[in-house]
Amino acid sequence: VEHLRSFGVTSLERRSPHTITVPGAVDAWTRLVADHGRMKMADILAPAIKLARDGYVLAPRTAHDLAAQADVIRPDPAASRTFLVDGKAPPAGSIQYQKELADTLEAIGQEGRDAFYRGPIAEGMVRYLNGIGGLHTLEDFAGAEGEYVTPVKTTFRGHQIHECPPNGQGIIALMILNILSHFPGSGDPLSPERLHIEVEATRLAYAARQRFLADPAKVGVPVDYLLSEALAKELAGMIDPERAIEDLPKFDEVPHKDTIYLSVVDGDRNVVSFINSIFFVYGSGRMDPKSGVLFHNRGFSFSLDPDHPNAIAPGKRPMHTIIPGMVTKDGRAVMSFGVMGGQYQAMGHAHFLSKVFDYGMDLQSTIDLPRLFPLPGTNQVEMEHRLRNSIGPDFERRGFRVKAPESAMGGAQAIWIDWEAGVLRGGSDPRKDGMALGI
């Protein structure tokens, strides 16, 4: 923090080079394929290389997002040239190309991770980042390495819910479920009474997120305490079924944005719950012209408070919002699921699982339900249109301020494994460009 301040940095802005941490996705892909894959990396990347080189169709939701981000992309020559036409976002159905990225993916497929983290591609990325004021070095890229971690878990309605541990916010989804375990679901799943409980459980758990979540390799994160039954009971006891909690803990709020998620179950019932993200829609809006890499801005989640557990520091990962989920019962996987949508994800997981296990809803019907989300640290609740019309006034009476979200809220994907019937059931969110597909 002090080093950045010596450069005059007093806040982390979206397009700041200091929000661009070393990309970890390539290391993750190559490690997973080497350890668990059946195909060569070159063959896996071949479809993406072909799309990037020969062109892909701009899908409707992506076109909507691109139009909203044109002002962020336009100042960067390479990003503007790649995504915009005469400085404007093209409509859905347009063809786009990313030929430099195709070459980079091809090199990764042929030469492995070192093609990205060492040599000419890394040199070009570091040169670009240094040119816009970044402090990145070749050593930073060469030293990038992911890790296998043990998931955190809790039990909810007889199922084990597994999430990635900190520095991700999966533990917060589990905290919400632990609180909800004290409030059995009944009646209408969208009643103001039930959604009030979900909102208050979320507000309490997210307050803990802001206080404790950080990179456990750098600071202590009290996982056992956060997942304890004693804490869940204490937090559940704070919920007034009729009124919004007024005195939530105060904290240094940092932004948490967007993601992509996929869920796969193969014929052998291997199950993959997989997520990557460049954080904001179109990330930092910064693109290295040589490699075609559009950089994320995950570092935007760091705090500049030197006393905060999530304070920016060398070799440290920011608190992440991205959380793939998995459900097991009797020792085997029964569902792979995820909910995109930045900081909404933890509530999204709990909301989704409660509707499936408390109300017996099928995956697609659950995903289609209208959503709401309490903005952390405030009494404001974002509600999609249908909920604002039906329960908005009731929530205002309870002491909340209801507002419309900036765009469609979240995006869920899930696959349920019916072991007895021998079939898979999938659901995909209409808010996104994804689909549920059996092959």
Side-chain angles (χ1 to χ4, degrees):
V1 173
E2 293 304 321
H3 188 59
L4 286 181
R5 284 179 178 168
S6 73
F7 286 88
V9 178
T10 58
S11 63
L12 292 172
E13 305 296 336
R14 172 175 178 178
R15 301 186 75 251
S16 167
H18 307 304
T19 68
I20 300 172
T21 60
V22 178
V26 173
D27 178 81
W29 301 340
T30 53
R31 175 84 67 88
L32 288 171
V33 170
D35 293 349
H36 301 286
R38 298 177 180 176
M39 297 170 62
K40 295 179 180 179
M41 198 70 195
D43 295 331
I44 294 170
L45 290 175
I49 293 167
K50 180 175 175 58
L51 286 169
R53 184 168 287 145
D54 298 341
Y56 56 90
V57 177
L58 191 61
R61 174 60 194 269
T62 309
H64 169 82
D65 291 339
L66 177 57
Q69 302 303 315
D71 289 345
V72 175
I73 294 167
R74 193 176 298 112
D76 186 273
S80 181
R81 181 176 67 250
T82 300
F83 299 117
L84 306 180
V85 178
D86 296 328
K88 298 179 180 180
S94 302
I95 307 296
Q96 294 199 315
Y97 304 87
Q98 297 191 55
K99 296 183 179 181
E100 293 82 7
L101 184 62
D103 293 340
T104 297
L105 293 174
E106 197 165 59
I108 294 166
Q110 294 173 353
E111 304 168 33
R113 70 177 303 284
D114 282 353
F116 184 81
Y117 293 102
R118 302 174 185 268
I121 293 175
E123 291 167 4
M125 290 190 290
V126 169
R127 190 180 308 115
Y128 169 81
L129 290 168
N130 292 166
I132 60 173
L135 305 176
H136 309 74
T137 67
L138 287 172
E139 290 74 23
D140 292 332
F141 275 77
E145 187 176 19
E147 62 178 346
Y148 285 110
V149 295
T150 301
V152 290
K153 65 181 179 179
T154 196
T155 299
F156 184 72
R157 311 304 188 218
H159 293 77
Q160 285 69 55
I161 315 301
H162 305 263
E163 299 275 1
C164 286
N167 57 317
Q169 66 170 345
I171 192 171
I172 304 306
L174 301 183
M175 288 183 66
I176 299 171
L177 291 172
N178 285 346
I179 296 170
L180 292 181
S181 68
H182 293 268
F183 300 92
S186 61
D188 180 358
L190 293 181
S191 70
E193 293 77 16
R194 178 61 185 184
L195 293 180
H196 173 91
I197 297 297
E198 292 186 17
V199 162
E200 293 295 70
T202 298
R203 295 174 75 210
L204 290 165
Y206 274 63
R209 181 189 75 168
Q210 303 308 118
R211 171 65 181 85
F212 294 110
L213 252 61
D215 185 346
K218 299 293 182 180
V219 297
V221 180
V223 171
D224 291 342
Y225 166 70
L226 294 175
L227 292 180
S228 68
E229 172 56 24
L231 178 60
K233 185 176 181 179
E234 178 185 345
L235 295 177
M238 295 180 183
I239 297 177
D240 181 336
E242 294 296 328
R243 295 293 302 172
I245 298 171
E246 294 184 3
D247 296 322
L248 287 171
K250 301 296 188 294
F251 45 77
D252 174 21
E253 175 60 33
V254 291
H256 311 283
K257 291 292 180 178
D258 289 286
T259 302
I260 69 100
Y261 172 80
L262 60 89
S263 175
V264 180
V265 179
D266 72 8
D268 296 324
R269 295 303 184 256
N270 295 304
V271 184
V272 178
S273 184
F274 187 93
I275 207 159
N276 357 214
S277 175
I278 57 171
F279 200 30
F280 275 64
V281 179
Y282 287 84
S284 64
R286 305 268 196 179
M287 178 181 280
D288 169 32
K290 297 293 185 182
S291 66
V293 170
L294 179 70
F295 289 104
H296 69 228
N297 54 351
R298 273 277 157 198
F300 200 30
S301 281
F302 276 128
S303 172
L304 285 179
D305 175 358
D307 297 323
H308 195 283
N310 191 39
I312 193 168
K316 186 176 181 179
R317 298 168 296 184
M319 195 280 278
H320 270 218
T321 56
I322 53 178
I323 48 171
M326 190 86 75
V327 179
T328 62
K329 187 176 176 62
D330 300 327
R332 61 183 178 184
V334 294
M335 184 165 65
S336 172
F337 73 99
V339 181
M340 297 165 275
Q343 64 178 349
Y344 170 73
Q345 289 180 57
M347 182 187 184
H349 279 209
H351 176 86
F352 173 78
L353 293 171
S354 176
K355 297 301 177 278
V356 171
F357 294 128
D358 280 326
Y359 294 91
M361 297 182 67
D362 67 83
L363 302 187
Q364 191 60 57
S365 297
T366 300
I367 290 169
D368 290 346
L369 287 176
R371 295 179 179 142
L372 77 172
F373 179 64
L375 297 177
T378 76
N379 68 342
Q380 296 181 59
V381 179
E382 292 185 337
M383 289 186 185
E384 292 184 332
H385 179 71
R386 282 187 288 166
L387 283 181
R388 291 200 308 278
N389 285 347
S390 61
I391 69 168
D394 190 291
F395 263 62
E396 294 275 1
R397 179 185 62 77
R398 293 166 184 262
F400 296 103
R401 291 174 54 206
V402 175
K403 60 179 292 189
E406 293 181 3
S407 60
M409 189 178 292
Q413 316 273 10
I415 301 173
W416 182 270
I417 304 170
D418 188 329
W419 289 95
E420 293 184 4
V423 299
L424 305 177
R425 301 191 183 102
S428 181
D429 207 306
R431 299 167 179 83
K432 299 286 187 178
D433 291 322
M435 68 180 74
L437 182 67
I439 300 175

